[in-house]
Amino acid sequence: MAEQEDKKQYLSFFLGTEIYGLPLEGCKEVDHNKRILKVPHSPEYIEGIVNLRGDLVTILNLRSLFGKDRTNGEGKHSLIRLKGKKETFAILSDSVSDIVEVANKDLESCPSHLNEKEARFIRNVTILKDKTMIILNREELLRLEDE
């Protein structure tokens, strides 16, 4: 029983070649290749909005949020809808990979070289085989919903 308690499941996804993870219990659903409607005068990190199962959902572009090159939003993509107060927020990803289980002892603190914005949204990092997975801070991402 103690072994179960010190492990957590994460939904892993790709942005380019980087692997990111979100705690599985904080994810509501995954959808693919939905048409995203641009919203004029929205913050740069907002990709647009989309209708998911009758709900109007705001799409967050992590590349833009972290100051990386943006994609044009017209290629294949996956949307990861987050659980939250309003559940009207999703993350744009290139593709969803897998559900991975990570032991708490394998989680490293947020690297010190990150800028303030990145450090706000990144909770931990961990090594999966030969790649580093960046674990996001879902609570901070959801705070963007209120900004």
Side-chain angles (χ1 to χ4, degrees), residues 34-96:
K34 292 283 190 181
R35 185 170 165 262
I36 299 172
L37 177 66
K38 300 288 183 191
V39 179
H41 310 293
S42 61
E44 194 173 307
Y45 58 82
I46 299 298
E47 186 69 21
I49 56 174
V50 69
N51 183 335
L52 291 179
R53 304 191 198 291
D55 294 330
L56 204 53
V57 177
T58 301
I59 307 302
L60 171 66
N61 187 322
L62 290 177
R63 282 191 171 105
S64 179
L65 185 66
F66 293 153
K68 299 177 188 277
D69 290 336
R70 285 180 67 126
T71 59
N72 61 13
E74 295 175 12
K76 292 184 185 287
H77 61 267
S78 296
L79 302 174
I80 304 165
R81 190 169 180 184
L82 302 178
K83 289 181 184 176
K85 296 177 278 185
K86 304 171 196 160
E87 296 186 351
T88 57
F89 214 54
I91 292 174
L92 177 66
S93 70
D94 294 339
S95 64
V96 172

Side-chain angles (χ1 to χ4, degrees), residues 3-147:
E3 280 184 37
Q4 281 290 49
E5 292 173 14
D6 66 351
K7 290 184 179 180
K8 196 170 187 177
Q9 290 184 322
Y10 296 90
L11 178 66
S12 63
F13 62 95
F14 284 92
L15 289 176
T17 59
E18 294 180 326
I19 301 174
Y20 289 81
L22 283 163
L24 187 60
E25 74 273 2
C27 300
K28 182 174 182 174
E29 66 180 311
V30 173
D31 217 323
H32 306 282
N33 301 319
K34 292 283 190 181
R35 185 170 165 262
I36 299 172
L37 177 66
K38 300 288 183 191
V39 179
H41 310 293
S42 61
E44 194 173 307
Y45 58 82
I46 299 298
E47 186 69 21
I49 56 174
V50 69
N51 183 335
L52 291 179
R53 304 191 198 291
D55 294 330
L56 204 53
V57 177
T58 301
I59 307 302
L60 171 66
N61 187 322
L62 290 177
R63 282 191 171 105
S64 179
L65 185 66
F66 293 153
K68 299 177 188 277
D69 290 336
R70 285 180 67 126
T71 59
N72 61 13
E74 295 175 12
K76 292 184 185 287
H77 61 267
S78 296
L79 302 174
I80 304 165
R81 190 169 180 184
L82 302 178
K83 289 181 184 176
K85 296 177 278 185
K86 304 171 196 160
E87 296 186 351
T88 57
F89 214 54
I91 292 174
L92 177 66
S93 70
D94 294 339
S95 64
V96 172
S97 179
D98 231 337
I99 294 172
V100 295
E101 196 169 73
V102 178
N104 290 340
K105 67 179 179 56
D106 294 332
L107 296 175
E108 302 285 333
S109 298
C110 191
S112 60
H113 71 277
L114 297 177
N115 66 41
E116 190 176 319
K117 186 178 270 191
E118 290 173 320
R120 173 182 172 194
F121 299 109
I122 296 174
R123 174 162 283 156
N124 301 98
V125 294
T126 190
I127 305 298
L128 300 176
K129 296 180 184 167
D130 59 346
K131 290 237 180 210
T132 300
M133 181 170 76
I134 301 165
I135 298 173
L136 298 173
N137 186 333
R138 185 183 69 87
E139 292 77 16
E140 283 297 322
L141 291 170
L142 288 171
R143 283 199 182 110
L144 288 171
E145 191 173 28
D146 297 326
E147 290 181 5

